[in-house]
Amino acid sequence: MELTKDLTVEHLPGSRGSSVIETVSNEENLKPNESQSLLENEEQHFQEEVEEILRKRVLDGKEGAEFQLGQFFFEKGEYELARCEMEKIQNKDLRAKYQLGVLYYEGLGGKENPKKGFELMMDVASCKTQQAQTFIPAAQYNIGRAYFQGYGVRQSDFDAERWWLKSGSDDNEFCSVKAQTALGMYYSRPETFNLKKAFYWHSISSDNGSLESQGALGVMHLYGMGCSRDKKEALQCLRSAADRGNAYAMGQLASYYYNSKLYTKAAEMAERVALIDNLDEVAETTQCLREFVSKGVSLGCFYLARCLQLGAGVTADMEKAKKILFTCFQI
């Protein structure tokens, strides 16, 4: 699995857990209004009530309330308001500076300014406070990403690698798993080809929970790439990754089953991945690169169409096979 330019941002550590709405609702013991449906309450009443509580906390000078208000808007996708709130406190709350870096680099809530976003991430990465230690590896990953993409800073593979090695060091308890996965892919590309290093970093990243690296390891074990061939380990990695939603692993399993003449299994797995139509959502949910989600779905479409064409593992259906192949070409 080779690294591509569509690397995604490293989210603020801890921000992918409970949302601000959930946190404040639990703290204030907010209950659904009986006159409203639960959906209406979640989408409207809770949001309005939480915003009111947060604004009162800010006025009362409660510690952390200003950041929570900005993060509340960030999570709602109201990026202009989020940017406004984060700007106010960027010099006293490192989390706000981090989120501002994301907002500017990604062009959320206003004009894109990748140079400023890069500079803000550099500020976070160079901070020496105790609070910064949990954010530094994530900021370092984003800095490496900027160098690799050549966005907001001069493109440099050397500097991208250097920053990812800092970020992904397993000696740091707050190491970036995204950096470890990025390194695994970085060493799989022709310009920086080193499959032993790729295997090493995908192994560490997979152990730390990376779904993308787990699928990559399955392929590497299957074909002996950077390691000895181990079909048992390969299938264990691919099946586990597929069960967790890795579309590329599903596609690789469909290919393996088909070429092993296990046509029923091949058709079942191929159909499972071929039915994925929300590629962007799957990429976001699984934190897998969209390109490899697309490749997994394409593999599924190809092998499902092949099974339908030959009646292998399923009832032959040439018309359905043609439709699926047409879908494959559109991905």
Side-chain angles (χ1 to χ4, degrees):
M1 294 178 69
E2 184 182 329
L3 192 62
T4 61
K5 295 288 185 180
D6 63 342
L7 286 171
T8 55
V9 68
E10 175 82 283
H11 292 279
L12 178 71
S15 66
R16 296 182 69 84
S18 297
S19 68
V20 173
I21 290 179
E22 291 169 337
T23 300
V24 174
S25 296
N26 290 332
E27 290 172 350
E28 301 290 335
N29 198 28
L30 300 181
K31 300 293 183 182
N33 188 320
E34 294 180 1
S35 66
Q36 296 173 301
S37 72
L38 183 59
L39 181 60
E40 288 174 335
N41 191 79
E42 288 177 339
E43 295 296 328
Q44 298 175 21
H45 180 70
F46 265 19
Q47 290 185 4
E48 293 169 3
E49 196 166 358
V50 167
E51 182 178 345
E52 184 180 337
I53 289 169
L54 288 172
R55 290 194 180 280
K56 184 177 185 304
R57 288 180 178 182
V58 170
L59 289 174
D60 292 343
K62 184 171 181 179
E63 185 179 357
E66 292 170 303
F67 172 76
Q68 275 195 314
L69 181 61
Q71 184 65 15
F72 168 75
F73 290 127
F74 189 99
E75 291 170 0
K76 286 179 65 180
E78 296 181 5
Y79 297 119
E80 190 172 348
L81 289 172
R83 187 184 285 201
C84 180
E85 295 300 327
M86 299 297 187
E87 287 276 10
K88 296 176 186 176
I89 58 171
Q90 62 173 304
N91 293 323
K92 62 179 180 179
D93 194 316
L94 197 65
R95 296 171 299 175
K97 181 170 285 190
Y98 187 103
Q99 292 295 61
L100 265 182
V102 172
L103 289 163
Y104 278 114
Y105 192 88
E106 302 295 321
L108 302 173
K111 189 175 180 180
E112 207 172 66
N113 191 336
K115 186 175 185 294
K116 186 168 183 178
F118 175 81
E119 290 169 350
L120 287 167
M121 283 297 168
M122 288 293 286
D123 284 348
V124 174
S126 62
C127 190
K128 303 298 183 184
T129 65
Q130 187 61 39
Q131 183 196 33
Q133 304 315 302
T134 59
F135 305 142
I136 284 175
Q140 290 170 332
Y141 162 81
N142 287 330
I143 291 167
R145 173 185 177 231
Y147 273 116
F148 184 73
Q149 293 176 328
Y151 201 51
V153 67
R154 173 185 52 81
Q155 199 284 330
S156 170
D157 284 356
F158 173 82
D159 286 314
E161 179 186 21
R162 180 168 63 89
W163 281 98
W164 284 336
L165 287 170
K166 291 180 181 181
S167 173
S169 174
D170 212 31
D171 294 334
N172 188 334
E173 63 176 311
F174 303 113
C175 62
S176 168
V177 177
K178 285 179 76 73
Q180 294 169 348
T181 297
L183 284 166
M185 293 183 172
Y186 178 81
Y187 293 122
S188 300
R189 55 201 291 266
E191 301 91 333
T192 49
F193 195 68
N194 189 323
L195 286 180
K196 287 188 177 180
K197 285 186 178 182
F199 181 79
Y200 170 80
W201 284 107
H202 278 311
S203 296
I204 290 178
S205 186
S206 180
D207 287 344
N208 286 330
S210 169
L211 178 54
E212 185 123 67
S213 282
Q214 187 176 40
L217 272 183
V219 175
M220 297 183 86
H221 279 299
L222 188 62
Y223 297 106
M225 301 166 67
C227 60
S228 58
R229 294 187 68 174
D230 188 334
K231 186 171 74 172
K232 181 179 178 181
E233 186 67 26
L235 292 176
Q236 183 176 326
C237 286
L238 289 173
R239 286 168 179 157
S240 179
D243 288 343
R244 294 171 62 200
N246 185 320
Y248 186 68
M250 294 180 209
Q252 288 291 336
L253 275 175
S255 173
Y256 171 80
Y257 290 142
Y258 184 88
N259 290 298
S260 299
K261 298 184 176 9
L262 301 171
Y263 297 121
T264 301
K265 283 189 172 183
E268 290 174 352
M269 184 58 68
E271 183 172 28
R272 178 180 165 192
V273 66
L275 289 174
I276 295 174
D277 59 0
N278 51 342
L279 273 62
D280 291 326
E281 183 179 329
V282 170
E284 171 63 24
T285 302
T286 61
Q287 287 295 287
C288 292
L289 292 179
R290 190 191 187 284
E291 179 171 335
F292 288 99
V293 174
S294 176
K295 286 182 178 181
V297 174
S298 295
L299 279 169
C301 287
F302 173 79
Y303 284 106
L304 179 57
R306 189 69 174 152
C307 288
L308 287 165
Q309 179 188 11
L310 301 176
V314 291
T315 303
D317 189 333
M318 185 61 74
E319 288 304 311
K320 188 175 180 181
K322 289 179 180 177
K323 289 179 181 178
I324 290 171
L325 277 178
F326 180 72
T327 300
C328 180
F329 289 130
Q330 290 183 311
I331 294 173

